[in-house]
Amino acid sequence: EEVGMELRDVKVAGDVGVAVGRSGLLLRSANGGASWATVDHGLTVETLQHVAHGAGSFVVSFRSGVLVSSDGLSWTAEQTSSEGWNHLHWVHDRFLSSGWLQSEGLRGSPDGHVWNHAEFVPEQLYELPAITQVTGVIVATGNYYRGDHQIAVSLDGQRWR
């Protein structure tokens, strides 16, 4: 099915899929991605950035917060008062979100509803496009605008070096 708008990210968990994009586009699939339908999330936002799935919920990032849903149909806006929600990942037992600016840092949440700033040290890296877990260690690659080889590691997703 042709959408006609730029998609930014997609996640499928079981039969349910969620895709996000420009102009606040949010799509849902109930059949593992075979077909998609537009979902009204209730916000007027320019771009939905990224989507992650974990702890039984989908979480979608946008410039000033996140949307949270257990089924991809009904959405709740969280943390909509601060700027700087961009990259979003589910790693080990939590969602991790990084912003665009150094001062925005890294946030973590076990459920997508309650977020805390991580203790983040290495030159306060930001804009973390890739975060993954490798043998019990969480590894994040840093800001592409500051050059290559920006890497931070954590054992718990809260304290980084």
Side-chain angles (χ1 to χ4, degrees):
E1 176 178 338
E2 178 119 1
V3 174
M5 290 187 204
E6 178 186 333
L7 291 175
R8 304 272 308 184
D9 200 4
V10 61
K11 290 292 177 290
V12 177
D15 287 336
V16 178
V18 173
V20 298
R22 296 228 184 256
S23 300
L25 179 67
L26 194 149
L27 302 173
R28 180 185 186 271
S29 173
N31 54 16
S35 62
W36 297 84
T38 304
V39 174
D40 180 10
H41 49 75
L43 293 179
T44 303
V45 295
E46 180 180 317
T47 299
L48 296 177
Q49 296 291 345
H50 296 279
V51 59
H53 181 269
S57 293
F58 288 95
V59 177
V60 171
S61 62
F62 59 96
R63 181 71 178 148
S64 59
V66 295
L67 294 167
V68 182
S69 175
S70 62
D71 60 8
L73 288 172
S74 300
W75 294 86
T76 302
E78 299 287 355
Q79 299 289 333
T80 57
S81 61
S82 65
E83 295 288 317
W85 296 79
N86 187 5
H87 298 286
L88 185 63
H89 311 274
W90 173 260
V91 180
H92 182 54
D93 63 351
R94 72 188 62 224
F95 294 99
L96 294 172
S97 177
S98 63
W100 283 275
L101 304 175
Q102 187 170 358
S103 61
E104 294 163 349
L106 182 70
R107 297 172 184 90
S109 172
D111 60 6
H113 294 282
V114 177
W115 293 82
N116 297 302
H117 278 278
E119 296 172 23
F120 205 58
V121 180
E123 297 181 28
Q124 191 64 26
L125 290 175
Y126 58 99
E127 180 110 39
L128 301 168
I131 301 176
T132 190
Q133 185 172 13
V134 180
T135 318
V137 176
I138 302 170
V139 180
T141 61
N143 181 355
Y144 3 78
Y145 302 113
R146 294 182 89 183
D148 295 335
H149 312 296
Q150 300 289 317
I151 297 175
V153 296
S154 173
L155 297 177
D156 62 6
Q158 182 65 24
R159 293 176 295 280
W160 293 81
R161 56 187 172 106

